[in-house]
Amino acid sequence: MEGHHRRHHHHQQQHLQQQQQPVSVNVEADRFPQWSVQETKDFLMIRAELDQSFMETKRNKLLWEVISTRMREKGYNRSAEQCKCKWKNLFTRYKGCGTVDAETVRQQFPFYDELQAIFTARMQSVLCSESEGGGATGSKKKAAQAQLSSDEEDDTEENEYSFRKKKKGKTGGGSSSKSGSINIKEMLEDFMRQQLQMEMQWREALESRENERRMKEMEWRQTMEALENERIMMERRWREREEQRRVREEARAEKRDALITALLNKLRREDQM
């Protein structure tokens, strides 16, 4: 009986020790550090280099793994899913900047130029594919399908944004290829018009800032000229006063010398007498 109580007491002590042991939680595993500006720029540079591959393949999971590997080579620990989510977030912000002027866009979204370069290169690639294919609709359709296949997994929103006019213009049946080719041209023309409009807005803003700078510089020059003229006038008045003072001092000195000379002559005459 006594041995039974000892074993029971020993089990109770072990149970209490297990309850008192702290539960370790791997906090670091659940922590995702924010993307720095330089890290995001390096990520966009890698994504731009692989954009053609994204356009040519339907299953891009392996490409995101390649991006993750290349990010690790640059010293960033980012998984393929993190890279993919980051791209979707950047694209969403880029899409929301369509109605904002260029200057405000670059202030609110510092990576606008990088994404603009990616999609501009993508459009140029489609144009080159069309020009090489001549009048055949097969290459045009292939280029359009390659464009639509870009980022197919959970990235259909990007393709819808890039080719929303093409999808609206599709009719089905045997005329779908011809209609798609026409709508690609319309989409490219619309894209070029948007580019020209943004460039005109940027030039207008630049000219406005340049005119404002010139006006401020002109006002500054006028102010400095006025201050310089005032300084010259003050210096001239000071020189005139100094000249008048010198003339008065010389006149006093001459009178003093004349008085002393007259006094000495008078004393000499008195001594001679």
Side-chain angles (χ1 to χ4, degrees):
M1 179 67 68
E2 183 178 357
H4 176 72
H5 284 295
R6 287 180 180 178
R7 285 195 301 272
H8 181 69
H9 181 68
H10 179 68
H11 287 310
Q12 285 183 344
Q13 287 182 346
Q14 287 183 347
H15 182 68
L16 289 174
Q17 289 176 358
Q18 290 176 357
Q19 288 182 343
Q20 292 175 358
Q21 287 180 355
V23 179
S24 61
V25 179
N26 190 2
V27 180
E28 295 295 332
D30 298 332
R31 183 178 300 173
F32 298 101
Q34 292 184 352
W35 291 66
S36 64
V37 175
Q38 186 59 44
E39 182 182 6
T40 305
K41 288 185 177 181
D42 292 340
F43 165 72
L44 288 175
M45 182 177 65
I46 297 172
R47 179 60 178 76
E49 294 175 358
L50 297 176
D51 189 66
Q52 187 66 28
S53 299
F54 275 92
M55 292 176 62
E56 294 173 354
T57 183
K58 292 184 178 181
R59 300 299 176 186
N60 50 36
K61 184 176 181 180
L62 181 60
L63 293 175
W64 289 117
E65 292 291 344
V66 172
I67 292 178
S68 176
T69 301
R70 294 184 62 177
M71 289 289 287
R72 281 196 294 270
E73 291 175 357
K74 291 182 176 291
Y76 307 116
N77 186 18
R78 296 293 179 182
S79 65
E81 187 65 26
Q82 286 178 314
C83 294
K84 186 175 181 179
C85 291
K86 183 63 175 178
W87 171 254
K88 291 180 64 178
N89 293 336
L90 290 172
F91 173 75
T92 302
R93 291 194 61 185
Y94 170 80
K95 187 175 66 174
C97 296
T99 58
V100 187
D101 60 279
E103 185 63 25
T104 305
V105 164
R106 289 174 176 83
Q107 291 178 359
Q108 296 179 354
F109 185 38
F111 309 110
Y112 179 82
D113 291 334
E114 285 80 358
L115 275 97
Q116 183 73 2
I118 292 174
F119 290 111
T120 302
R122 183 177 293 185
M123 292 297 176
Q124 291 176 353
S125 177
V126 175
L127 283 173
C128 291
S129 299
E130 289 186 359
S131 61
E132 291 175 359
T137 60
S139 61
K140 295 181 182 180
K141 184 177 180 181
K142 182 178 179 182
Q145 289 177 348
Q147 178 70 20
L148 287 170
S149 65
S150 173
D151 302 342
E152 181 179 335
E153 293 182 359
D154 297 332
D155 290 340
T156 55
E157 185 181 8
E158 174 188 348
N159 298 323
E160 291 175 358
Y161 173 73
S162 299
F163 286 87
R164 58 186 181 276
K165 286 186 174 288
K166 179 179 182 300
K167 289 184 177 181
K168 289 180 181 179
K170 282 190 174 182
T171 57
S175 62
S176 60
S177 298
K178 185 176 180 180
S179 177
S181 301
I182 295 174
N183 287 317
I184 287 177
K185 291 181 180 180
E186 293 178 356
M187 179 271 298
L188 292 174
E189 291 175 357
D190 183 61
F191 175 78
M192 295 304 297
R193 281 196 296 269
Q194 290 180 1
Q195 290 291 106
L196 290 175
Q197 184 178 2
M198 291 180 63
E199 185 175 357
M200 288 178 62
Q201 292 177 354
W202 178 79
R203 289 183 180 275
E204 289 175 358
L206 184 63
E207 290 177 358
S208 176
R209 290 197 300 272
E210 182 65 20
N211 292 332
E212 185 178 357
R213 186 192 65 80
R214 289 177 181 175
M215 291 296 296
K216 289 182 178 180
E217 184 177 358
M218 187 178 298
E219 291 177 359
W220 178 80
R221 289 182 181 276
Q222 292 176 354
T223 303
M224 296 305 296
E225 288 179 359
L227 291 174
E228 182 66 17
N229 293 332
E230 184 178 358
R231 186 191 66 79
I232 292 173
M233 291 297 296
M234 292 178 64
E235 184 176 357
R236 184 179 299 172
R237 288 194 293 268
W238 176 80
R239 290 183 181 276
E240 290 176 356
R241 288 196 299 269
E242 286 294 317
E243 184 66 19
Q244 293 174 1
R245 186 186 64 78
R246 188 182 63 79
V247 171
R248 288 195 298 270
E249 289 292 333
E250 290 179 354
R252 289 173 185 169
E254 289 177 359
K255 289 180 181 179
R256 185 172 61 251
D257 293 342
L259 182 60
I260 293 173
T261 302
L263 182 59
L264 290 174
N265 291 333
K266 182 177 180 181
L267 291 174
R268 288 195 190 99
R269 286 195 297 272
E270 289 177 355
D271 291 339
Q272 291 176 0
M273 293 177 59

